[in-house]
Amino acid sequence: MAACAGSTARAPSAPRRSPLVHAAGRFAAATRASGGALRLAEFPFLTQMSVRLDPKGPAADAVGLSLGLQLPVEPNTVVHGGELAALWLGPDEWLVVGPPASRHDLEVRLRAAVGAGEGAGEAGGTVVDVSAQRTTLLVAGPRSRDLLAHGCSLDLHPRSFGADRCAQTTLARAQVVLVARDPHKPGYWVLVRSSFAGYLADWLLDAAAEYTAR
């Protein structure tokens, strides 16, 4: 039967593949072999929104009301609210991170909030979906700080880089955003560009061999 004029067939969308889907088994094996010293995993497809605005303007207040959390103004800190986290990246720049399913809703809410701030008389404010730029690695466990210290020059001792701290830094020469996670158990998020994710995964697994060798 001929197709109706003007109709178009839409091909089914391909399933999303994380940058490190091939490393999941190796992460799990290293975690088991460490005997509880380490936990390595990928958190794929987290929603990540870049927000830039004047922290003293009405758009910042509108964003805070929309998210249920205030954007942090202290350098290199993280504020949590429900399933969301806001990371300070610069005096007028933040990264808002949420679950994968929140991507569309979070972008709509942020854009509406920034628009409300601009309507109050403040110029400027941008929201950019950067979810596809990075993936997130979990490095946790009692030896996680020792593992990261092999390739990161930051002082990761809890006195200097405790829970709810973040930093743009390098790990094994790869640019990352490092986030200290749990105040009670050692653990970090490592946000890395998708194009460097495979390299960094290999480096972490190689460095972890010290703690997984039987």
Side-chain angles (χ1 to χ4, degrees):
M1 181 175 179
C4 296
S7 66
T8 58
R10 181 172 297 177
S13 59
R16 296 173 70 187
R17 284 177 58 87
S18 77
L20 294 177
V21 64
H22 63 283
R26 297 165 66 202
F27 284 154
T31 298
R32 290 192 299 269
S34 76
L38 288 172
R39 181 187 171 199
L40 301 176
E42 182 194 16
F43 287 168
F45 311 129
L46 290 184
T47 296
Q48 300 179 45
M49 298 287 166
S50 172
V51 179
R52 302 200 70 154
L53 48 77
D54 179 356
K56 297 181 179 180
D61 294 333
V63 166
L65 288 172
S66 175
L67 298 182
L69 60 83
Q70 291 299 313
L71 296 174
V73 293
E74 182 182 345
N76 298 321
T77 58
V78 182
V79 171
H80 296 275
E83 294 184 297
L84 302 179
L87 284 57
W88 186 98
L89 298 185
D92 64 351
E93 181 180 6
W94 297 264
L95 186 69
V96 179
V97 181
S102 67
R103 186 173 178 179
H104 175 72
D105 175 68
L106 187 57
E107 182 176 14
V108 169
R109 286 160 59 193
L110 284 169
R111 289 188 182 278
V114 169
E118 291 172 350
E122 282 291 320
T126 61
V127 176
V128 180
D129 182 356
V130 296
S131 306
Q133 289 186 3
R134 302 186 189 92
T135 191
T136 303
L137 289 161
L138 173 70
V139 181
R143 302 308 296 267
S144 57
R145 177 157 53 97
D146 299 327
L147 173 60
L148 294 177
H150 284 297
C152 181
S153 62
L154 290 180
D155 179 2
L156 299 178
H157 192 279
R159 287 193 301 266
S160 301
F161 198 77
D164 297 333
R165 303 291 296 185
C166 66
Q168 298 183 81
T169 185
T170 57
L171 177 61
R173 300 183 181 178
Q175 293 286 335
V176 301
V177 179
L178 188 63
V179 184
R181 290 289 297 154
D182 195 316
H184 306 294
K185 296 181 290 185
Y188 305 86
W189 274 358
V190 183
L191 283 67
V192 60
R193 294 264 180 185
S194 297
S195 55
F196 288 95
Y199 157 77
L200 192 59
D202 289 342
W203 182 88
L204 285 168
L205 288 163
D206 183 65
E210 176 181 347
Y211 313 107
T212 60
R214 295 186 181 278

